């Protein structure tokens, strides 16, 4: 599971509301509850720093972000403290100063804290902006960790704040600060999160105009330089290249520039990530073999190739070492990105999470039998044996077996897809066999998806997301099209309510009927439509010695 949510109390009130009722709304009283009485201002700052680090430690040591579990006490105290403007600023400043650069969960912790805390008002935002003093950026005054954390926070706030507050945060100093980071002499993590912050700010039209006006003075050229880093063997620079390319394709579009999908050779590529079978905020690279999540959610995707029998293998290059769940899924596996459910969080999928060294299935997890946490540049191998009598999903890290699981076969016997889920700021590169594998399982006969997949030119073309949305906006839905995707024909009926107007693909993602909110027990294809069947290409085994 990719998200951590505070458990609500039995009467529906959250912990912050209960605190208000029991302790009053006075900020001083709130601080006395959190830090104890007779605490000095400097002492309370140290205590806030300690709470931030405790929260990071607890999340790391527990090894999970369980949607059903109560939040750690340190996290609850931070939420209470952030319930007023001054307390919120104190929490933000503590995150900037103490969250370490080298911890893979640190950007996620910033996301969790800011996502669950009350949104600050415009006055608080302006006060924070002044306290950050971004007009005097010098390495002597702030560490690399702190600059990275500032950029992460700016991006998250730009994404979360309402328009007027987001516009207020994008001051001339903020904009100059972000563009001053557009320099190859700057640490790549600072460049990366500066790019993401610019993307988030540009979601507001007025901010986008402000940024584009500023870019005319020269920073646009730096984006073109960063774009060349796409595909780099150095994971951080590969992320910088991906995000720069995304900005140029989708946000700051230059009519004179050739869009990236036109420059990518798809010759010999027959299995890719399926852009039609992905959750809404996932970013897919123009090759169809790289994906990234920069949203405050848990984004998922499946491959284009379906497996019904045989033994199959694919590899994933880890470009970020945070929370991802990589493995196998059927169509029945549902993506609930905002609730934190992805691959491995239901009975119809299984996934390896190398950050927390867990294997997920049915929203439960087991520890890996061996290995260390994955790192940037590592290679994850995923082997699926569908044949009986011993079907299994086996996971490898740099060629070494770390876990195996067979529970998914109690619920599914066929129609498997390679699949993955990504928490905030995570990215990976996939190889379904269009290139040689780095660590093919020794002595195992397996088939290669790319050797048996079939994709036409349209299916191979990964248009920029803005272009896809423009095309969808111009399309007129057929009268018999699905009322969810407006793409496929509506051909199923939901039971027991008997509501229609949905395709099989979308119906598989539903738990409740969108019309009457009744629990869906099953769905049945309409009589006039033949049963939908999908058959994978016949498996051809490859012996790897």
């Amino acid at each position: 599971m990719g998200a951590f949510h505070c458990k609500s109390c039995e009467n529906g009130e959250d912990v912050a509301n209960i605190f208000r009722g029991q302790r009053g709304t006075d900020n001083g009283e709130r601080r006395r509850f959190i830090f104890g009485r007779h605490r000095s201002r400097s002492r309370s700052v140290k205590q806030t720093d300690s709470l931030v680090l405790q929260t990071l430690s607890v999340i790391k040591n527990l090894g999970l972000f369980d949607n059903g579990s109560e939040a750690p006490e340190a996290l609850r105290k931070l939420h209470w403290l952030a319930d007023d403007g001054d307390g919120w600023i104190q929490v933000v400043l503590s995150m900037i100063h103490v969250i370490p650069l080298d911890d893979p969960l640190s950007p996620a912790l910033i996301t969790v804290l800011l996502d669950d805390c009350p949104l600050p008002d415009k006055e608080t935002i302006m006060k924070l902006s002044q306290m950050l003093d971004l007009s005097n950026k010098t390495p002597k005054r702030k560490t690399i960790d702190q600059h990275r954390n500032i950029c992460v926070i700016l991006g998250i706030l730009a994404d979360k704040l309402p328009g007027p507050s987001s516009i207020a945060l994008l001051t001339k100093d903020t904009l100059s600060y972000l563009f001053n980071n557009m320099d190859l002499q700057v640490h790549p993590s600072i460049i990366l999160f500066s790019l993401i912050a610019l993307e988030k700010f540009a979601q507001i039209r007025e901010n986008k105009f402000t940024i584009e006006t500023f870019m005319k003075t020269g920073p646009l050229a730096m984006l073109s330089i960063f774009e060349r880093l796409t595909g780099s063997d150095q994971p951080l620079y590969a992320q910088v290249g991906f995000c720069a390319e995304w900005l140029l394709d989708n946000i700051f579009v230059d009519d004179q520039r050739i869009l990236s999908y036109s420059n990518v050779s798809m010759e010999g590529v027959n299995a890719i990530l399926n852009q039609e079978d992905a959750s809404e905020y996932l970013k897919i690279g123009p090759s169809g073999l790289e994906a990234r999540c920069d949203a405050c959610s848990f984004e998922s995707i499946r491959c284009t190739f379906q497996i019904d029998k045989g033994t199959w293998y694919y590899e994933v290059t880890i470009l970020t070492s945070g929370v991802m769940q990589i493995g196998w899924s059927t169509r029945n596996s549902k993506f609930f990105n905002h609730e934190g459910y992805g691959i491995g969080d239901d009975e119809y999928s299984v996934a390896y999470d190398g950050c927390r060294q867990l294997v997920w299935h049915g929203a439960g997890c087991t520890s890996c039998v061996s290995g260390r946490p994955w790192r940037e540049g590592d290679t994850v191998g995923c082997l699926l044996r569908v044949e009986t009598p011993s079907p299994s999903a086996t996971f490898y890290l740099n060629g070494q077996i770390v876990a195996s699981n067979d529970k998914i076969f109690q619920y599914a016997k066929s129609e498997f897809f390679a699949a993955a889920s990504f928490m905030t700021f995570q990215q990976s590169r996939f190889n379904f066999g269009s290139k040689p594998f780095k660590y093919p399982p020794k002595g195992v006969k397996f088939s290669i998806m790319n050797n048996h997949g079939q994709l036409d030119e349209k299916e191979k073309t990964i248009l920029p997301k803005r272009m896809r949305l423009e095309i969808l906006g111009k399309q007129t839905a057929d009268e018999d099209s699905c009322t969810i995707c407006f793409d496929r024909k509506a051909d199923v009926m939901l039971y027991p309510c008997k509501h229609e107007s949905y395709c099989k693909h979308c119906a598989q993602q539903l738990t409740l009927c969108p019309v009457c909110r009744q629990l869906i027990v099953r769905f049945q294809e309409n009589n006039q439509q033949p049963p939908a069947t999908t058959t994978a290409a016949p498996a051809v085994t490859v012996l790897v010695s």
Side-chain angles (χ1 to χ4, degrees):
M1 294 183 182
F4 195 109
H5 299 278
C6 295
K7 181 188 287 185
S8 296
C9 299
E10 293 181 2
N11 62 0
E13 291 185 287
D14 61 29
V15 289
N17 287 332
I18 287 181
F19 172 76
R20 292 189 198 99
Q22 293 181 347
R23 298 281 174 175
T25 58
D26 176 72
N27 186 44
E29 193 167 351
R30 181 181 292 109
R31 283 200 174 87
R32 285 193 293 274
F33 172 73
I34 296 171
F35 303 124
R37 298 184 182 274
H38 310 299
R39 299 287 189 183
S40 66
R41 172 65 178 165
S42 60
R43 184 71 176 274
S44 68
V45 169
K46 292 180 180 178
Q47 289 284 353
T48 307
D49 292 349
S50 177
L51 288 173
V52 170
L53 293 176
Q54 285 177 42
T55 302
L56 180 60
S57 177
V58 168
I59 289 174
K60 190 189 315 179
N61 293 333
L62 282 177
L64 53 87
F65 292 74
D66 191 344
N67 294 48
S69 297
E70 188 173 358
E73 181 181 359
L75 180 58
R76 298 201 308 275
K77 286 185 175 182
L78 288 171
H79 286 166
W80 293 335
L81 178 62
D83 201 40
D84 82 300
D86 289 341
W88 182 86
I89 289 176
Q90 185 171 324
V91 171
V92 170
L93 293 178
S94 285
M95 288 193 290
I96 289 172
H97 285 96
V98 303
I99 290 182
L101 181 72
D102 58 355
D103 193 302
L105 288 177
S106 58
L109 175 61
I110 297 175
T111 304
V112 168
L113 287 173
L114 290 179
D115 198 36
D116 285 350
C117 287
L119 285 176
D121 56 25
K122 185 176 177 180
E123 181 181 350
T124 302
I125 288 296
M126 296 304 296
K127 186 174 180 180
L128 173 67
S129 181
Q130 293 172 0
M131 295 180 73
L132 291 178
D133 191 19
L134 299 181
S135 61
N136 295 314
K137 172 184 174 290
T138 61
K140 294 180 180 178
R141 292 182 62 252
K142 295 183 177 72
T143 65
I144 292 174
D145 303 50
Q146 291 166 354
H147 281 300
R148 190 281 309 265
N149 293 341
I150 288 173
C151 295
V152 172
I153 288 169
L154 288 174
I156 294 172
L157 291 178
D159 191 38
K160 289 293 180 183
L161 292 173
S165 294
S166 179
I167 293 169
L169 182 59
L170 190 64
T171 63
K172 183 178 179 180
D173 287 342
T174 300
L175 193 55
S176 297
Y177 171 76
L178 293 173
F179 276 117
N180 284 338
N181 292 334
M182 301 292 144
D183 189 324
L184 286 173
Q185 301 302 314
V186 173
H187 193 279
S189 68
I190 300 174
I191 300 174
L192 172 66
F193 286 101
S194 295
L195 292 171
I196 295 170
L198 287 172
E199 176 197 338
K200 301 301 183 182
F201 274 116
Q203 293 174 154
I204 304 297
R205 182 176 299 180
E206 185 173 334
N207 281 344
K208 183 180 179 183
F209 177 78
T210 301
I211 295 170
E212 288 178 330
T213 301
F214 192 91
M215 290 177 75
K216 292 178 181 178
T217 62
L220 181 62
M222 286 307 302
L223 291 184
S224 299
I225 293 174
F226 293 150
E227 182 186 17
R228 299 171 194 169
L229 298 172
T230 304
S232 170
D233 291 334
Q234 299 181 53
L236 259 178
Y237 284 110
Q239 294 177 66
V240 169
F242 185 98
C243 290
E245 183 179 71
W246 181 269
L247 281 173
L248 291 171
D249 277 345
N250 292 279
I251 310 296
F252 307 121
V253 181
D254 182 357
D255 293 336
Q256 304 301 315
R257 173 182 170 272
I258 298 175
L259 293 173
S260 55
Y261 79 92
S262 300
N263 288 326
V264 174
S265 173
M266 300 298 287
E267 184 178 355
V269 177
N270 302 307
I272 60 175
L273 299 171
N274 190 349
Q275 60 183 336
E276 304 296 338
D277 195 9
S279 51
E280 57 189 321
Y281 298 121
L282 190 68
K283 298 175 178 177
I284 307 171
S287 68
L289 296 171
E290 196 161 343
R292 179 179 178 88
C293 172
D294 286 317
C296 297
S297 51
F298 200 42
E299 301 298 313
S300 302
I301 193 167
R302 279 181 277 257
C303 175
T304 54
F305 186 78
Q306 177 178 310
I307 295 169
D308 291 320
K309 60 182 180 180
T311 300
W312 302 81
Y313 178 77
Y314 74 97
E315 289 184 343
V316 181
T317 300
I318 302 300
L319 298 178
T320 55
S321 55
V323 175
M324 295 176 283
Q325 293 174 195
I326 300 171
W328 304 94
S329 163
T330 71
R331 290 283 189 201
N332 291 327
S333 180
K334 299 178 176 63
F335 301 158
F336 295 124
N337 52 342
H338 293 294
E339 288 76 20
Y341 286 89
I343 307 305
D345 292 330
D346 57 29
E347 295 85 353
Y348 302 101
S349 58
V350 60
Y352 166 53
D353 171 1
C355 175
R356 299 173 287 188
Q357 293 182 276
L358 300 170
V359 173
W360 291 89
H361 170 74
C365 58
T366 56
S367 298
C368 294
V369 295
S370 63
R372 53 163 175 77
W374 59 27
R375 301 170 187 153
E376 291 90 346
D378 281 346
T379 299
V380 170
C382 300
L383 182 75
L384 185 73
R385 293 184 175 93
V386 182
E387 72 273 9
T388 56
S390 301
S392 64
T394 304
F395 300 101
Y396 301 78
L397 184 64
N398 298 330
Q400 302 298 315
I401 294 177
V402 292
S404 187
N405 188 288
D406 61 2
K407 294 181 180 179
I408 188 174
F409 296 99
Q410 298 174 19
Y411 304 90
K413 305 298 182 184
S414 61
E415 298 185 354
F416 294 99
F417 296 83
S421 297
F422 303 76
M423 199 176 176
T424 313
F425 306 134
Q426 301 306 307
Q427 181 175 337
S428 284
R429 189 178 295 151
F430 293 74
N431 180 12
F432 300 117
S434 58
K435 296 180 180 179
F437 293 124
K438 290 184 178 180
Y439 301 99
K442 295 182 179 180
V444 178
K445 294 180 179 180
F446 63 86
S447 299
I448 299 174
M449 287 179 253
N450 196 74
N451 291 354
H452 303 290
Q454 292 183 344
L455 298 174
D456 59 33
E457 288 305 311
K458 182 179 179 181
E459 291 170 323
K460 289 183 180 183
T461 302
I462 309 296
L463 294 174
K465 191 168 186 177
R466 64 171 181 88
M467 292 182 65
R468 292 190 65 219
L469 293 176
E470 289 171 2
I471 292 171
L472 288 173
K474 294 177 181 178
Q475 290 179 347
T476 302
D478 296 331
E479 290 185 2
D480 61 349
S481 63
C482 171
T483 56
I484 295 178
C485 67
F486 296 101
D487 183 25
R488 291 169 285 268
K489 183 174 290 187
D491 57 3
V492 302
M493 178 181 291
L494 308 180
Y495 283 87
C497 64
K498 296 188 177 181
H499 284 121
E500 300 178 286
S501 302
Y502 312 107
C503 68
K504 180 181 178 181
H505 174 77
C506 291
Q508 288 174 328
Q509 308 298 316
L510 298 174
T511 302
L512 302 177
C513 172
V515 176
C516 64
R517 309 305 294 168
Q518 189 171 351
L519 182 68
I520 299 170
V521 177
R522 64 184 178 91
F523 63 84
Q524 180 176 312
E525 294 181 69
N526 295 331
N527 293 332
Q528 65 269 28
Q529 296 293 330
T533 58
T534 307
T535 305
V540 177
T541 57
V542 178
L543 179 60
V544 181
S545 57

